[in-house]
Amino acid sequence: SNQTVHNHARQWKEDRESMEFVNPAWVMDGGDDMSREELQSVLPKVVVDKPMPGGYYAPHMFHNGPALELYLDHFPKHVNIRAEKVTETPLMTQATFGRVDCVKVLLQKGAYPFVTDYIKRTALDYAGLGYNQSTKPIVINMIKESIADWNKKCHNCKKGAVKLSKCAGCKMVVYCGRDCQSSHWKSVHKFLCRTY
């Protein structure tokens, strides 16, 4: 609620050391008003294991691409986290709202564009239903490009190669060689492999 956000913001300004946890809503909405350093210091205190009211998690609700990117740097497995009941991914939600910067960050961080929700809609379907008419075509094109490139470029170095090998676990991402696969596993894919 707005009161919770206000209380967190006030406490953050007055006595941040006393904060045991941070409400994800405040991080999402406060990302525009905070420096990168301030946001980075808050993230270790963010409660991320429980959904917010409505069943959504923090990455569904960010309004700010750089803040979402910083959040996903701390919690990489949340790039494909599903909302309870409706099983929406953050990419689906952000596509609906037409938040170009957030969609871009999610795709760069490995959001899976093929996944479907409980009624078999994909992120591309959500983008088509989007509320923001001015950003809708941009978001649709971003998702279409991601789908087209998904198995054409190494997921680590982003280069095309003659021969790309699939991850043995999820069989959804491809690599140009063992070095790229190992590097991607250590930095990101170990958190995402099961989410595909």
Side-chain angles (χ1 to χ4, degrees), residues 7-40:
N7 289 343
H8 272 61
R10 184 174 33 80
Q11 186 175 0
W12 171 255
K13 289 177 179 153
E14 294 172 6
D15 186 18
R16 66 181 71 169
E17 295 304 315
S18 72
M19 296 178 76
E20 293 178 34
F21 74 95
V22 176
N23 184 307
W26 182 67
V27 173
M28 295 172 319
D29 293 336
D32 291 328
D33 303 319
M34 299 170 65
S35 70
R36 184 172 178 82
E37 293 76 25
E38 286 176 315
L39 185 57
Q40 211 156 11

Side-chain angles (χ1 to χ4, degrees), residues 10-159:
R10 184 174 33 80
Q11 186 175 0
W12 171 255
K13 289 177 179 153
E14 294 172 6
D15 186 18
R16 66 181 71 169
E17 295 304 315
S18 72
M19 296 178 76
E20 293 178 34
F21 74 95
V22 176
N23 184 307
W26 182 67
V27 173
M28 295 172 319
D29 293 336
D32 291 328
D33 303 319
M34 299 170 65
S35 70
R36 184 172 178 82
E37 293 76 25
E38 286 176 315
L39 185 57
Q40 211 156 11
S41 69
V42 163
L43 285 171
K45 296 181 177 188
V46 174
V47 176
V48 297
D49 57 347
K50 295 179 184 174
M52 293 179 280
Y56 291 90
Y57 290 84
H60 291 91
M61 308 311 290
F62 273 90
H63 296 236
N64 173 308
L68 174 59
E69 182 174 21
L70 193 55
Y71 177 91
L72 291 172
D73 286 346
H74 278 75
F75 309 108
K77 65 183 178 182
H78 280 206
V79 74
N80 290 314
I81 197 166
R82 291 173 172 267
E84 293 185 347
K85 297 180 184 165
V86 295
T87 66
E88 233 175 83
T89 65
L91 182 59
M92 293 170 178
T93 306
Q94 297 293 355
T96 302
F97 288 106
R99 295 182 187 132
V100 175
D101 289 349
C102 291
V103 169
K104 182 178 180 182
V105 166
L106 287 163
L107 291 171
Q108 288 172 342
K109 295 286 186 181
Y112 185 49
F114 305 101
V115 72
T116 60
D117 68 4
Y118 73 108
I119 56 173
K120 307 294 183 215
R121 288 183 298 194
T122 65
L124 194 54
D125 296 325
Y126 276 82
L129 300 169
Y131 303 133
N132 187 330
Q133 297 305 311
S134 63
T135 61
K136 185 191 289 192
I138 298 166
V139 171
I140 289 171
N141 283 338
M142 290 170 72
I143 295 171
K144 281 183 177 179
E145 285 177 19
S146 177
I147 290 168
D149 288 345
W150 190 261
N151 286 322
K152 294 180 183 173
K153 294 180 183 175
C154 173
H155 277 77
N156 186 57
C157 68
K158 308 298 183 201
K159 294 177 183 173

